[in-house]
């Protein structure tokens, strides 16, 4: 469902550009916002897509099923994060991952064509989108660093410090998969770190 | 050292945009290329910088030293890869990592100010830079996936398949650090996978 500019969208544009004299309402009109229901597929493994998404509200899980039928969770995207699938016009490749909403989700949708139109109509939006991409790279790099350097227990602590919402808003067996540990290990580590008391995960 | 448009730069612009009628030589004149000597620091841990780099030629190592004085290698960047440090104008944060050239390196240098100038003079370059950023995100995400899903041995095989240059062009104790294993393990795994024979690492 494509919907009209929302408070969430204006809030986001403002957060990127608080000092701007630009007319945020006009900017917002150049952007397409889509609402997804919990359970809805954003991108399916094997699909080629030129779309990218920026989450205004909600939670999206990234996962893949391998040749043996085993599912691994590779990431979670929520407020102010982007789902970017690299798209080559001349050589589109199927997405190795599925992206599925695990909460009702509100997202900006972009594609190369609309980006070009936006760029000429509203050049300021282009440099703002570069900020978003830079931040995305920064986040993924920091996550990667946590896998290179940290023990599983340190990684759980890192998630609790930097993305506490993952302890309460996502199914914990999927969080365990993402952390590369068993659900039992995750449960033990959370207990050791005192993270279990009030933060009861939703069983989804 | 800042230098004039180079064959490497034109080759890169052409690779992004082979069908363009755009004048690549003119585009190239909007870009700043800098040459670094092997051993030269690109970005120092603790420094704030608004620069980003795109490697045309050479190899850069990303690492950090923690409070206990232990050094961990977090990445290697070579031809066609970007070094992106997230920069917030209103709240610059010190880089958690150092980036040091471990080969003589030729790199495009960008910053927000020049990006704005380029955007108005040469809008096509902006959408090309978006392609580069998307690809960077894709690469980092794939690397992250390899850490989430793979055993150390599978990870070494993955590097051999996707970035074989790391087996020959970087010091192997740094590659081991990046893979989160000991140099001894790396050496054992390479032997098991038959990766040692002709691919002798340079001792640097």
């Amino acid at each position: 469902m494509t919907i009209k500019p929302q408070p969430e969208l204006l809030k986001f544009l403002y957060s990127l550009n608080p000092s701007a004299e630009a007319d945020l309402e006009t900017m917002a009109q150049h952007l397409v916002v889509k609402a997804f229901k919990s359970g809805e597929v954003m991108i399916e493994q094997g699909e080629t897509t030129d779309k990218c998404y920026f989450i205004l509200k909600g939670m999206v899980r990234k996962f893949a099923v391998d040749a043996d039928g085993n599912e691994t969770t590779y990431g979670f995207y929520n407020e102010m994060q982007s789902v970017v699938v690299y798209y080559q016009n001349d050589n589109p490749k199927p997405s190795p991952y599925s992206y599925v909403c695990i909460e009702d989700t509100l997202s900006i949708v972009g594609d190369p064509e609309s980006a070009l139109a936006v760029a000429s109509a509203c050049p300021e939006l282009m440099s703002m989108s570069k900020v978003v991409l830079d931040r995305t790279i920064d986040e993924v790099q920091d996550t990667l660093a946590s896998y290179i350097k940290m023990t599983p227990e340190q990684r759980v602590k890192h998630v609790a410090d930097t993305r506490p919402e993952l302890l309460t808003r996502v199914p914990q067996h999927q969080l365990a998969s993402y952390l590369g540990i068993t659900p039992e290990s995750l449960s033990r580590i959370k207990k050791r770190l005192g993270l279990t008391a009030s933060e009861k995960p939703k069983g989804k």
Side-chain angles (χ1 to χ4, degrees), chain A residues 13 17 22-31 114-129:
Chain A
L13 291 174
N17 213 5
D23 179 351
L24 298 185
E25 299 253 0
T26 309
M27 266 191 200
Q29 276 158 18
H30 289 287
L31 296 173
S114 67
L116 275 183
V118 166
S120 56
C122 199
E124 206 166 14
L125 260 181
M126 280 302 277
S127 41
M128 284 157 76
S129 86

Side-chain angles (χ1 to χ4, degrees), chain A residues 156-191:
Chain A
V156 174
K157 193 169 176 326
H158 184 246
V159 164
D161 290 343
T162 56
R163 300 188 67 190
E165 64 275 19
L166 297 190
L167 295 173
T168 50
R169 287 169 56 186
V170 314
Q172 296 299 287
H173 68 282
Q174 293 172 351
L175 179 59
S177 170
Y178 170 61
L179 290 167
I181 58 182
T182 65
E184 295 72 30
S185 295
L186 175 58
S187 166
R188 263 197 310 275
I189 292 173
K190 281 169 67 180
K191 212 164 161 187

Side-chain angles (χ1 to χ4, degrees), chain A residues 1 21 24 47 49 77 86 91 108 123 153 157-158 164 172 187 199:
Chain A
M1 193 175 64
E21 289 136 43
L24 298 185
E47 178 188 343
T49 180
Y77 300 84
Y86 172 48
N91 181 25
I108 301 178
E153 176 151 342
K157 193 169 176 326
H158 184 246
Q172 296 299 287
S187 166
E199 301 179 298

